[in-house]
Amino acid sequence: MARLFDAYIIANWTAAEGKKTGEQTLWIGVAKRDVRFRLYTETHNVATRAEGEKLLEELLAEHRKRGDQVLLGFDFDFGFPAGTAARLNLEGRPWDAMGKFLTSNIVDKADNTNNRYQVAAKMNRLMTDQPWPFWGAPASQAQRWLTTTKPPEGASADIPEFRATEVAARKNKLPPKSVWQMHGAGAVGGLTLVGVPMLRRLLTKLDTSAAIWPFGTGWREITEGDLAGLSTVIVEVWPDMFPATRQTNAEGVKEYKTQAQVRAAAEAFAIMDDEGTLQKAFAPPADASADLVKQVESEEGWILGV
């Protein structure tokens, strides 16, 4: 069975304000094959999201010139729990509507300054006029519609805490966080608010050479034929799914934990592709209902490999 991809790029995005490199910052891992088809990896660390976006564009352009097909993964939620767009009174396909809303509201400057907490508070005001469903902010960012702590049990009960993919992951003893959590270890809310607009910019620049799974491909098994004309397939990933042992280089320098995670995730997807199991990872579970497929394809998205 032929491989689907020639290279695998995994980005550990960041919502941080201020420039910083090192642990818990923006890392990009790349797994690809040399002229003898041997797999090797490289990692990149940049101080800002703007630099990360530019680097990704350069990496993808380089592979496109070589005629490579690339799997590009990001570690934030591509969509929101079902019903979010409706609660915001947005019109059109929910995933597109949410993307347009965030793109028009998020301000993310070249120095990493951003207004993610203000946008979370605005969404809370529009959805419930209460400090939920988004929660968790540093004390300096807390206000009428966004608090430092989780809302009381039962608050906003009609808004799901998790997407279907997180529900499935948690059944398998994998503990992804809810998109509504803005702050704290493993929180993905802020990442999603700054990540989705970046994703839309990237898709616009790549135009017809890229597709985003499952919104632009359908939630189904991907075959070699499906990739005709595409240079990049963009997916949501959760690097913590894959074991990552920190390696030491020839100079005796040990990898950062985040660096090891993006490298190990890129390698894991490459190995799945070699073994012929990657294409099946794009398909829904066997027991997925038609309603769930529609929900995932139009609004929520799915974590590749869950």
Side-chain angles (χ1 to χ4, degrees):
M1 184 179 294
R3 299 186 191 95
L4 291 176
F5 300 99
D6 303 290
Y8 315 81
I9 301 176
I10 303 299
N12 179 88
W13 216 241
T14 177
E17 296 190 38
K19 298 181 178 182
K20 184 184 175 185
T21 57
E23 191 59 87
Q24 295 300 318
T25 61
L26 202 161
W27 282 93
I28 296 171
V30 184
K32 52 188 176 181
R33 296 176 181 87
D34 62 19
V35 292
R36 296 184 180 179
F37 301 103
R38 293 176 300 194
L39 190 69
Y40 71 100
T41 56
E42 58 189 39
T43 54
H44 307 266
N45 187 207
V46 294
T48 67
R49 285 179 294 280
E51 292 174 46
E53 198 170 333
K54 183 173 183 290
L55 175 58
L56 283 174
E57 290 172 14
E58 292 171 351
L59 290 171
L60 293 174
E62 177 187 328
H63 283 289
R64 197 159 56 245
K65 284 179 184 175
R66 291 166 45 177
D68 290 345
Q69 287 173 314
V70 179
L71 180 73
L72 171 60
F74 291 99
D75 68 334
F76 53 82
D77 295 13
F78 285 7
F80 287 78
T84 301
R87 289 297 294 254
L88 289 165
N89 292 315
L90 303 180
E91 296 181 354
R93 187 184 183 213
W95 183 72
D96 291 317
M98 286 299 302
K100 290 174 184 174
F101 175 88
L102 291 180
T103 299
S104 65
N105 279 275
I106 286 289
V107 176
D108 194 5
K109 298 181 180 178
D111 64 355
N112 266 2
T113 304
N114 66 82
N115 65 338
R116 66 191 187 279
Y117 291 110
Q118 290 79 10
V119 173
K122 176 180 179 177
M123 291 173 69
N124 281 351
R125 175 174 60 80
L126 293 174
M127 285 191 283
T128 66
D129 201 28
Q130 298 289 340
W132 54 71
F134 278 111
W135 65 274
S140 61
Q141 296 285 355
Q143 50 134 299
R144 160 77 172 81
W145 291 287
L146 186 65
T147 61
T148 58
T149 55
K150 193 171 184 178
E153 192 70 32
S156 200
D158 61 331
I159 299 178
E161 183 176 6
F162 298 104
R163 298 177 298 160
T165 188
E166 280 105 31
V167 172
R170 294 172 85 85
K171 284 180 181 176
N172 292 319
K173 296 184 170 52
L174 300 171
K177 302 285 188 179
S178 167
V179 72
W180 304 127
Q181 182 178 347
M182 288 292 295
H183 187 60
V188 75
L191 274 177
T192 298
L193 294 187
V194 297
V196 169
M198 177 277 300
L199 190 59
R200 292 182 68 86
R201 288 192 298 271
L202 189 60
L203 279 169
T204 298
K205 289 171 184 172
L206 294 174
D207 198 22
T208 56
S209 71
I212 185 167
W213 173 84
F215 306 110
T217 63
W219 194 20
R220 59 188 176 81
E221 185 173 319
I222 299 290
T223 66
E224 193 176 3
D226 293 321
L227 300 180
L230 292 178
S231 64
T232 309
V233 175
I234 304 172
V235 299
E236 180 182 336
V237 298
W238 187 36
D240 280 358
M241 286 175 55
F242 307 101
T245 302
R246 294 169 63 192
Q247 297 180 349
T248 303
N249 65 18
E251 288 76 40
V253 179
K254 199 170 190 178
E255 287 179 308
Y256 290 99
K257 181 182 176 183
T258 317
Q259 178 183 14
Q261 285 177 323
V262 295
R263 174 189 52 75
E267 290 171 346
F269 285 118
I271 291 167
M272 288 171 67
D273 205 0
D274 280 340
E275 295 173 345
T277 59
L278 181 58
Q279 63 187 57
K280 294 180 175 60
F282 288 94
D287 60 352
S289 66
D291 285 344
L292 177 60
V293 171
K294 181 180 178 182
Q295 177 178 318
V296 167
E297 289 182 342
S298 67
E299 183 161 16
E300 290 194 343
W302 196 265
I303 300 167
L304 185 64
V306 167

